[in-house]
Amino acid sequence: EPEVTQTPSHQVTQMGQEVILRCVPISNHLYFYWYRQILGQKVEFLVSFYNNEISEKSEIFDDQFSVERPDGSNFTLKIRSTKLEDSAMYFCASRTSSNTGELFFGEGSRLTVL
Amino acid sequence: RKEVEQDPGPFNVPEGATVAFNCTYSNSASQSFFWYRQDCRKEPKLLMSVYSSGNEDGRFTAQLNRASQYISLLIRDSKLSDSATYLCVVNRLSGNTPLVFGKGTRLSVIA
């Protein structure tokens, strides 16, 4: 069964460091997303991406965040200068169609900022 | 008012019990509705979509009341493996708009 894959599964970093989280969406999917979940909190939308550009972003997704699809398969989330409050599980997700297709999530990348 | 609200639980029920979860959403323009399941420290996985006419998938029944902006999930004959957090999820508008998640309702099924 096709799946969304994410790396790394866990990253520990020092405050102020740059972090890149990587995702390989399912190959025939067109819509890509990053969500995050702080421990014990709800899953929160960060950004959606379609046709090589950002479709929508939340207020969480400030200038410290960026996304890229550099080579047609990888979809990356970069946090330029991490803060303690960026510690969370980051989920990549993808789907085929805009609002009716099932959203498939990767297993997540756990980011711990010290 | 939160966009998607759920009773956080926990609901502790014995095996074989029937349990119901409720969810309300604030945006009347919402188009699509889902229940996702999330196991501890895992990714959310789609349990079922929720249709206006109501729908059933085995032991699971989902209902939607657009007038009251209310969604429900009923689990019959609970199994130990049903223990998880159940997330109510709403798609605000048509097109590529993001899913909005409730905080989830925690279910523990006890032997």
Side-chain angles (χ1 to χ4, degrees):
Chain A
E1 186 179 317
E3 58 183 18
V4 177
T5 56
Q6 289 186 241
T7 53
S9 56
H10 189 192
Q11 181 154 357
V12 181
T13 191
Q14 295 290 326
M15 194 168 55
Q17 294 297 304
E18 177 182 282
V19 159
I20 297 176
L21 305 178
R22 292 183 168 79
C23 170
V24 179
I26 294 172
S27 61
N28 64 338
H29 285 189
L30 302 175
Y31 299 86
F32 314 116
Y33 307 82
W34 282 100
Y35 283 81
R36 81 169 185 192
Q37 187 174 31
I38 294 169
L39 190 64
Q41 302 297 313
K42 67 177 183 178
V43 176
E44 299 175 291
F45 167 72
L46 293 179
V47 65
S48 58
F49 194 86
Y50 169 71
N51 202 25
N52 287 318
E53 59 182 24
I54 290 174
S55 307
E56 187 170 342
K57 56 185 180 180
S58 72
E59 57 190 30
I60 302 169
F61 194 88
D62 62 21
D63 292 344
Q64 293 300 314
F65 290 87
S66 62
V67 289
E68 250 190 348
R69 194 150 187 257
D71 57 12
S73 62
N74 290 287
F75 179 48
T76 62
L77 174 69
K78 184 193 288 186
I79 309 174
R80 213 176 331 272
S81 176
T82 49
K83 303 188 281 287
L84 295 176
E85 55 265 36
D86 293 328
S87 295
M89 182 73 96
Y90 288 80
F91 291 110
C92 175
S94 68
R95 60 182 172 183
T96 52
S97 62
S98 57
N99 72 325
T100 56
E102 178 182 347
L103 193 61
F104 290 84
F105 284 83
E107 292 187 342
S109 293
R110 180 168 298 283
L111 176 65
T112 302
V113 183
L114 302 176
Chain B
R1 185 180 170 187
K2 292 177 186 170
E3 199 158 355
V4 179
E5 285 205 71
Q6 296 181 251
D7 180 346
F11 284 61
N12 299 314
V13 303
E15 268 188 295
T18 295
V19 62
F21 305 137
N22 303 319
C23 166
T24 57
Y25 60 95
S26 60
N27 191 330
S28 59
S30 298
Q31 297 281 326
S32 310
F33 310 91
F34 310 90
W35 284 101
Y36 274 71
R37 170 192 169 130
Q38 186 175 29
D39 293 294
C40 189
R41 295 182 177 253
K42 298 285 191 182
E43 75 275 24
K45 290 186 178 176
L46 179 67
L47 179 66
M48 59 197 303
S49 302
V50 187
Y51 303 117
S52 297
S53 53
N55 49 299
E56 190 173 308
D57 182 2
R59 297 181 293 107
F60 299 86
T61 301
Q63 298 276 353
L64 167 64
N65 184 324
R66 284 189 186 270
S68 304
Q69 294 177 206
Y70 171 96
I71 306 159
S72 66
L73 177 68
L74 183 79
I75 305 175
R76 289 182 298 279
D77 189 22
S78 301
K79 312 286 184 198
L80 295 176
S81 57
D82 294 334
S83 297
T85 298
Y86 290 84
L87 309 176
C88 178
V89 184
V90 172
N91 203 351
R92 280 181 273 132
L93 299 168
S94 60
N96 185 25
T97 55
L99 299 183
V100 179
F101 285 75
K103 198 172 175 183
T105 299
R106 180 109 180 258
L107 171 66
S108 289
V109 181
I110 304 158

